[in-house]
Amino acid sequence: EIKVSLEGMAWVTRQIETKEVQRVMSLRSKMVEPPSPSFVHVGEAFFCVQSNIDSIRLPDPNFIAMSWRFVSRLMSNPQKIVDSLRELKRGSTSLKFCQCVNEYTNNKLWPPARSKVRQDDPLLHMMALYVELFLVAEQATLDNGGMPVQVLSKGSRAGVQAR
């Protein structure tokens, strides 16, 4: 479950790195009106995941115009998005953060996996897929006790294992 999610997240990151997707992001960032309310909602969740800050607000449809300005501004630099996704620390997410992001995916504006909205908009689909996979990986990590406090190395294992 975690491995498949991480592979999917890596795939999305590689897709965002392609010139075609970066061109689409750049064009979208210049749009005055958002492509759809779902696009803004998914984009907001996608950028919240990148921030990994516990104090994010819950989704509110009354802030779509403000959220679009935020999302479109962030999309204007696709390489920064790729860098941010690569710097995301696996397993550093809190339960509170997962619950908050889950509020986005459970909202009526979140397009279902095989919906026409996602089929018609590959960029929206990639961002939504990344958020969904992130939630699966992080929730599974939390459910299984979280990440180790420190990475086990040969030196730190000395004396721990019997020969």
Side-chain angles (χ1 to χ4, degrees):
E1 184 172 69
I2 294 173
K3 182 181 183 292
V4 172
S5 295
L6 294 176
E7 287 171 349
M9 291 164 64
W11 177 83
V12 171
T13 303
R14 286 191 306 275
Q15 292 304 305
I16 293 173
E17 210 167 21
T18 65
K19 291 202 181 310
E20 177 60 26
V21 173
Q22 288 194 0
R23 185 183 66 75
V24 170
M25 281 186 138
S26 184
L27 289 172
R28 290 267 174 100
S29 74
K30 295 175 178 115
M31 293 173 70
V32 176
E33 295 287 322
S36 69
S38 288
F39 187 89
V40 176
H41 184 75
V42 168
E44 189 176 317
F46 181 69
F47 290 112
C48 286
V49 163
Q50 291 177 54
S51 75
N52 201 11
I53 297 172
D54 271 348
S55 60
I56 61 173
R57 66 177 176 80
L58 295 176
D60 185 340
N62 297 320
F63 290 109
I64 292 241
M66 187 171 68
S67 291
W68 173 241
R69 285 193 298 271
F70 167 75
V71 168
S72 62
R73 189 175 64 242
L74 291 172
M75 281 195 318
S76 68
N77 191 344
Q79 189 55 49
K80 188 173 180 180
I81 294 168
V82 170
D83 295 342
S84 176
L85 293 174
R86 289 217 167 100
E87 291 170 8
L88 198 60
K89 288 182 109 182
R90 264 278 303 119
S92 64
T93 304
S94 70
L95 178 61
K96 178 183 173 188
F97 186 77
C98 280
Q99 289 169 336
C100 188
V101 174
N102 206 34
E103 289 288 325
Y104 280 91
T105 62
N106 289 330
N107 189 289
K108 66 180 180 188
L109 288 173
W110 194 267
R114 291 180 174 82
S115 65
K116 182 164 175 32
V117 173
R118 282 173 77 156
Q119 290 174 6
D120 291 347
D121 191 339
L123 181 56
L124 177 139
H125 173 68
M126 282 187 276
M127 292 189 303
L129 179 63
Y130 190 93
V131 171
E132 293 161 351
L133 294 170
F134 170 85
L135 274 175
V136 169
E138 293 301 304
Q139 191 63 55
T141 301
L142 288 168
D143 292 347
N144 290 301
M147 296 288 282
V149 177
Q150 73 178 44
V151 176
L152 291 176
S153 64
K154 233 179 188 176
S156 68
R157 287 190 314 241
V160 175
Q161 294 177 325
R163 293 181 186 230

